[in-house]
Amino acid sequence: MNVRHWLFWYGVYGFCNKSANDEITIYADKEKCKRLGYFDLMTEPCLSYILKHELDRVDDEEFCEEIEAFLQGEEDVYYSYSYPPNEKELSRQVGHSAPVNDKGYKPVYITIFSKLSAAWDMYAIERVVKIIADDFLHIKVERIEFLDMPTYEETKVSYERDYAPYVG
């Protein structure tokens, strides 16, 4: 499994608050040759922030309605699906199990809303990956391995160069 953003690692190593939104890719192998799926993970605080501060940037009314329903509901995990808007985008459909829309298309992107953790750390990511693997890949995962995990020193250099100057 691979986490896309450095911000996740900045939070893991304590350079800033832990992230509330991350993107992950799940692989079947350490060499990252067999990609199983790609998901966006959003925590409850992240979703609340979107509704309070970013509605003018979110042009998908249905997505906002899904967020509101999730925040008001009892579910701990919810899946929001983005389907191909036209036949030209069909090649981007997920390769794993996922619900089809009324046109018979699988999603091109899946966002997971989660109340399981307020922010993402390694344990919270492992927990949600096991849920995703069961729900979409239909496999029971015993062990999750983080691929391309930077060291503390690498993360510090990246943080000081790319992030710290802007949070001031």
Side-chain angles (χ1 to χ4, degrees):
M1 196 257 330
N2 195 27
V3 179
R4 180 172 179 203
H5 301 289
W6 273 98
L7 190 57
F8 172 77
W9 296 111
Y10 299 159
V12 165
Y13 287 118
F15 296 111
C16 64
N17 292 333
K18 292 178 182 172
S19 65
N21 174 223
D22 275 294
E23 294 171 287
I24 61 166
T25 305
I26 302 173
Y27 297 95
D29 60 337
K30 289 182 182 184
E31 296 76 27
K32 299 191 295 187
C33 294
K34 186 171 181 185
R35 181 175 134 169
L36 299 175
Y38 179 80
F39 302 88
D40 191 6
L41 310 175
M42 295 184 171
T43 63
E44 188 174 11
C46 172
L47 297 165
S48 294
Y49 184 87
I50 289 170
L51 290 180
K52 289 178 186 170
H53 304 288
E54 295 187 5
L55 278 180
D56 57 330
R57 293 178 51 200
V58 179
D59 60 356
D60 187 343
E61 187 175 323
E62 185 178 328
F63 185 70
C64 291
E65 290 171 2
E66 286 180 296
I67 292 172
E68 289 174 351
F70 174 73
L71 293 175
Q72 295 170 8
E74 299 297 318
E75 293 178 286
D76 287 332
V77 176
Y78 175 81
Y79 305 115
S80 175
Y81 304 101
S82 299
Y83 290 94
N86 54 53
E87 288 187 14
K88 293 177 186 176
E89 299 291 324
L90 290 180
S91 64
R92 295 182 48 231
Q93 293 176 94
V94 298
H96 53 74
S97 172
V100 297
N101 67 6
D102 58 352
K103 295 178 183 175
Y105 301 161
K106 289 168 75 174
V108 294
Y109 199 73
I110 300 172
T111 302
I112 291 116
F113 301 167
S114 174
K115 293 178 185 171
L116 298 174
S117 180
W120 298 115
D121 58 20
M122 292 174 74
Y123 171 77
I125 295 261
E126 287 176 355
R127 184 175 176 195
V128 79
V129 165
K130 288 180 180 181
I131 293 168
I132 293 167
D134 187 43
D135 288 351
F136 292 101
L137 308 174
H138 305 295
I139 56 175
K140 296 284 183 200
V141 176
E142 297 297 322
R143 190 172 77 83
I144 308 283
E145 184 172 339
F146 286 81
L147 303 175
D148 301 329
M149 186 172 148
T151 65
Y152 176 88
E153 292 77 21
E154 291 169 324
T155 305
K156 182 177 181 184
V157 167
S158 174
Y159 175 80
E160 290 172 350
R161 179 190 65 224
D162 301 329
Y163 193 74
Y166 302 103
V167 295

